Amino acid sequence: MIIIGSDHAGFSLKESIKKHLEAIPMKVADVGCFDTNSVHYPEVADLLVKRILSGEYHRGIMICGTGIGMSITANRHKGIRATLCHDYLTAKMSREHNNSNLLVMGGRIIGIETALNVVDVWLSTEFQGGRHQQRLDLIEKFSS
Ligand code: RB5
């Protein structure tokens, strides 16, 4: 079970990822957007983040044009570890070291095959804990 969302610039990639996950099969909740009409990415990110913070979903995927705007928006919230991933290594490390609970990608940046590989790696890689948990605790400590 996962929650997904995008703005207009990430719409097409969101649809492909949704299809990919549903074929596993995995249940996917979609917070929009639902077509390529222009929307404001912070509004979509806010909808999705709130449903993770409430505990309804543990992990989510978000896509905007570059992935930057949605990453900035999501990481304003304590407890959200949104990681902008572009390839196998960033996907793997974002889980092993950063315990990413929100995968962000740039729909105008990444190709479809790489994006689906990023999703698969991110979903199947475990957090390593230990010294990495200490570092995540420091992030929380330094957050205002
Ligand atoms: C929309 O044009 C674009 O600004 C948005 O998708 C994203 O890239 C923002 O960071």
Side-chain angles (χ1 to χ4, degrees):
M1 196 162 81
I2 199 156
I3 187 161
I4 196 167
S6 77
D7 72 355
H8 52 285
F11 173 73
S12 162
L13 183 55
K14 170 172 71 70
E15 293 302 298
S16 301
I17 291 171
K18 209 163 77 175
K19 208 180 294 175
H20 177 72
L21 293 174
E22 285 170 346
I24 290 177
M26 179 180 283
K27 203 167 166 241
V28 184
D30 188 350
V31 299
C33 60
F34 299 107
D35 55 38
T36 54
N37 291 323
S38 184
V39 293
H40 301 309
Y41 63 82
E43 292 178 346
V44 180
D46 188 60
L47 275 179
L48 190 149
V49 158
K50 280 187 175 143
R51 290 175 72 177
I52 291 184
L53 292 174
S54 73
E56 188 182 359
Y57 292 89
H58 295 298
R59 290 169 74 174
I61 299 175
M62 294 199 305
I63 304 122
C64 61
T66 58
I68 295 171
M70 282 197 161
S71 301
I72 293 172
T73 309
N75 280 318
R76 292 287 176 99
H77 297 270
K78 268 195 169 198
I80 293 290
R81 293 172 301 281
T83 54
L84 178 54
C85 298
H86 299 299
D87 51 25
Y88 170 84
L89 190 61
T90 49
K92 185 168 177 282
M93 300 303 277
S94 76
R95 288 289 310 135
E96 287 185 348
H97 287 197
N98 311 114
N99 198 14
S100 169
N101 56 3
L102 193 42
L103 168 63
V104 190
M105 285 176 288
R108 291 173 175 158
I109 305 293
I110 194 169
I112 175 70
E113 291 303 326
T114 303
L116 297 182
N117 179 245
V118 162
V119 168
D120 289 343
V121 170
W122 184 80
L123 283 174
S124 61
T125 304
E126 294 298 323
F127 177 48
Q128 286 181 344
R131 68 184 188 282
H132 303 297
Q133 183 57 57
Q134 279 178 269
R135 291 163 186 166
L136 294 182
D137 292 343
L138 284 172
I139 294 174
E140 292 301 318
K141 183 178 159 190
F142 297 145
S143 298
S144 48

